[in-house]
């Protein structure tokens, strides 16, 4: 099915696919059904960890990576930028990204990305996000209830699906490289980041609420769905910055002269694998999702709320000044 759906219905227990990343049009059913099933797998693994089904914690920590919950391990900087790059380096990368999505590849993104209003919002939000990078990462891992074992990136290409004799969708998962203990909200976003944005926009809250309920059903503690959503949205912005950093690679995989004749995202030069890898297609899909999270799901306001409610209100910090954020 990498070349398209197979005709006709499949027998019960017959494996679908394989499916490719960032090509949800291949799915044999409604995308929400598939992603909700993957959310269930996230919750099943995380809940099993919390109820002790994977073994004792000491043995797990010997064999598997666990993200630290200690503030001293995060290099937080209350008096300045806490990212691994300097403010000026980040600003230059944001400038290059704006040129890419608003000029070179504008045919692949919503029309509003070409407006100065959106570009200013993008620059301001991403610069601020990076200035709080360590503080956000610490916060995401500071409460053990919100941290559990899980799959690193449970996208469509890391699962295989079938229907039961009753018609229910079921799945198995593979590629456990990077299996570790980290933020459950981080994993939720990284399982959705290659989906179509319209589907994310319509169902994100439902996915989060389902995870929270299933996680508890499978043995995990109760979570605040609002906090999980905040963590997931901030993770989407962090993911967007990874795509910003990947812009030079996009221009390597598809040279600048080629972009002049690309009309939409279905052009084989950006939709197909390049060099046997889905990197270009994935970068473009995830970048589009991040930009649309910013504009259509108000991710900038989520960051502002985090700064005031969490960093100032709960962590006791003072909001960083413009000079700290921009390197003045």
């Amino acid at each position: 099915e990498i070349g398209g759906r197979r005709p006709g219905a499949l027998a019960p227990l017959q494996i679908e696919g394989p499916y490719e990343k960032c090509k949800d049009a291949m799915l044999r059913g409604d995308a929400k059904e598939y992603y909700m099933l993957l959310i269930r797998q996230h919750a099943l693994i995380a809940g099993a960890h919390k109820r002790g089904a994977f073994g004792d914690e000491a043995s797990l920590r010997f064999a598997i990576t666990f993200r630290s919950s200690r503030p001293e391990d995060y290099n937080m900087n209350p008096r300045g930028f806490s990212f691994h790059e300097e403010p000026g380096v980040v600003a230059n990368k944001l400038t290059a990204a704006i040129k890419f999505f608003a000029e070179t590849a504008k045919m692949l993104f919503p029309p509003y990305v070409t407006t100065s209003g959106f570009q200013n919002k993008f620059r301001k939000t991403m610069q601020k996000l990076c200035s709080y990078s360590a503080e956000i990462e610490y916060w995401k891992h500071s409460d053990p209830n919100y941290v559990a074992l899980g799959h690193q990136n449970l996208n469509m290409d890391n699962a295989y699906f079938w229907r039961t004799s009753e018609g229910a969708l079921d799945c198995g998962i593979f590629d456990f490289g990077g299996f570790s203990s980290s933020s459950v909200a981080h994993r939720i976003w990284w399982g959705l980041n290659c989906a179509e944005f319209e589907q994310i926009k319509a169902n994100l809250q439902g996915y989060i609420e389902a995870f929270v309920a299933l996680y508890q059903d499978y043995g995990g503690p109760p979570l605040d769905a609002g906090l999980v959503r905040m963590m997931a949205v901030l993770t989407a912005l962090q993911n967007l910055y990874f795509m910003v950093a990947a812009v030079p690679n996009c221009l390597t995989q598809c040279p600048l002269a080629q972009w002049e004749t690309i009309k939409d995202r279905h052009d084989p030069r950006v939709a197909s694998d390049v060099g046997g890898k889905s990197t270009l297609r994935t970068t473009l899909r995830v970048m589009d999702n991040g930009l649309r999270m910013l504009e259509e799901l108000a991710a900038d306001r989520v960051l502002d709320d985090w700064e005031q409610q969490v960093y100032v209100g709960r962590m006791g910090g003072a909001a960083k000044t413009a000079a700290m954020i921009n390197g003045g």
Side-chain angles (χ1 to χ4, degrees):
E1 293 178 33
I2 287 178
R5 296 183 185 178
R6 284 180 286 186
L10 299 182
L13 307 182
Q14 185 176 355
I15 302 298
E16 300 181 12
Y19 293 131
E20 286 191 87
K21 188 177 293 185
C22 307
K23 290 193 174 184
D24 287 355
M26 298 168 60
L27 299 176
R28 284 182 167 268
D30 180 60
K32 180 182 177 181
E33 183 182 18
Y34 287 78
Y35 281 98
M36 190 64 81
L37 181 57
L38 295 183
I39 289 290
R40 179 179 291 274
Q41 304 313 304
H42 280 301
L44 176 62
I45 294 169
H49 172 210
K50 291 303 185 183
R51 73 172 188 268
F54 283 100
D56 67 275
E57 198 76 357
S59 297
L60 289 173
R61 287 179 177 273
F62 180 78
I64 298 174
T65 299
F66 277 64
R67 288 294 300 268
S68 173
S69 60
R70 302 186 308 171
E72 60 266 28
D73 292 334
Y74 284 86
N75 296 314
M76 292 184 282
N77 184 4
R79 293 177 294 279
F81 220 62
S82 72
F83 197 46
H84 65 273
E85 297 172 339
E86 293 296 319
V89 173
V90 170
N92 289 339
K93 288 186 176 181
L94 296 177
T95 297
I98 290 170
K99 181 175 178 60
F100 177 72
F101 66 65
E103 296 178 27
T104 305
K106 65 181 181 180
M107 73 294 294
L108 306 181
F109 300 102
Y112 56 70
V113 302
T114 64
T115 67
S116 60
F118 176 80
Q119 292 169 21
N120 290 337
K121 180 194 295 185
F122 169 78
R123 185 184 295 279
K124 179 180 178 182
T125 302
M126 299 307 290
Q127 193 79 28
K128 184 175 183 177
L129 176 85
C130 290
S131 77
Y132 283 109
S133 175
E135 291 82 1
I136 291 171
E137 277 301 289
Y138 164 68
W139 170 69
K140 284 165 57 177
H141 296 91
S142 60
D143 185 336
N145 288 345
Y146 292 79
V147 178
L149 289 175
H151 193 286
Q152 182 175 350
N153 60 328
L154 191 48
N155 300 125
M156 285 297 159
D157 62 337
N158 284 329
Y160 56 98
F161 300 88
W162 67 89
R163 296 275 175 183
T164 67
S165 57
E166 292 77 27
L169 187 67
D170 205 346
C171 76
I173 60 179
F174 54 90
D175 190 2
F176 283 88
F179 185 79
S180 62
S181 179
S182 66
S183 164
V184 296
H186 182 100
R187 298 191 188 284
I188 290 172
W189 175 256
W190 276 75
L192 296 172
N193 65 353
C194 292
E196 295 296 313
F197 182 74
E198 290 78 7
Q199 195 266 120
I200 296 174
K201 184 177 180 180
N203 300 309
L204 179 60
Q205 187 62 31
Y207 292 144
I208 289 169
E209 291 174 357
F211 175 86
V212 169
L214 290 165
Y215 179 52
Q216 189 169 4
D217 288 346
Y218 290 133
L223 302 182
D224 181 328
L227 285 181
V228 175
R229 182 185 176 94
M230 179 179 280
M231 291 176 181
V233 172
L234 294 184
T235 300
L237 290 178
Q238 293 173 317
N239 200 185
L240 175 57
Y241 188 77
F242 294 160
M243 302 306 105
V244 165
V247 165
N249 190 48
C250 290
L251 298 175
T252 298
Q253 292 186 305
C254 185
L256 189 60
Q258 295 289 325
W259 291 93
E260 296 177 1
T261 55
I262 292 173
K263 297 186 182 302
D264 57 44
R265 56 182 288 201
H266 304 294
D267 189 296
R269 289 169 289 182
V270 294
S272 301
D273 288 357
V274 178
K277 296 183 178 181
S278 63
T279 306
L280 178 58
R281 181 175 71 249
T282 299
T283 301
L284 296 171
R285 176 79 258 123
V286 177
M287 181 178 288
D288 182 65
N289 284 340
L291 295 174
R292 295 184 68 179
M293 288 289 291
L294 176 59
E295 179 67 13
E296 299 176 41
L297 288 181
D300 57 325
R301 294 204 294 271
V302 175
L303 178 59
D304 290 343
D305 288 345
W306 174 86
E307 180 184 50
Q308 293 302 315
Q309 297 171 14
V310 178
Y311 185 68
V312 175
R314 300 180 192 176
M315 297 172 65
K320 296 187 180 185
T321 65
M324 294 176 183
I325 292 171
N326 299 307

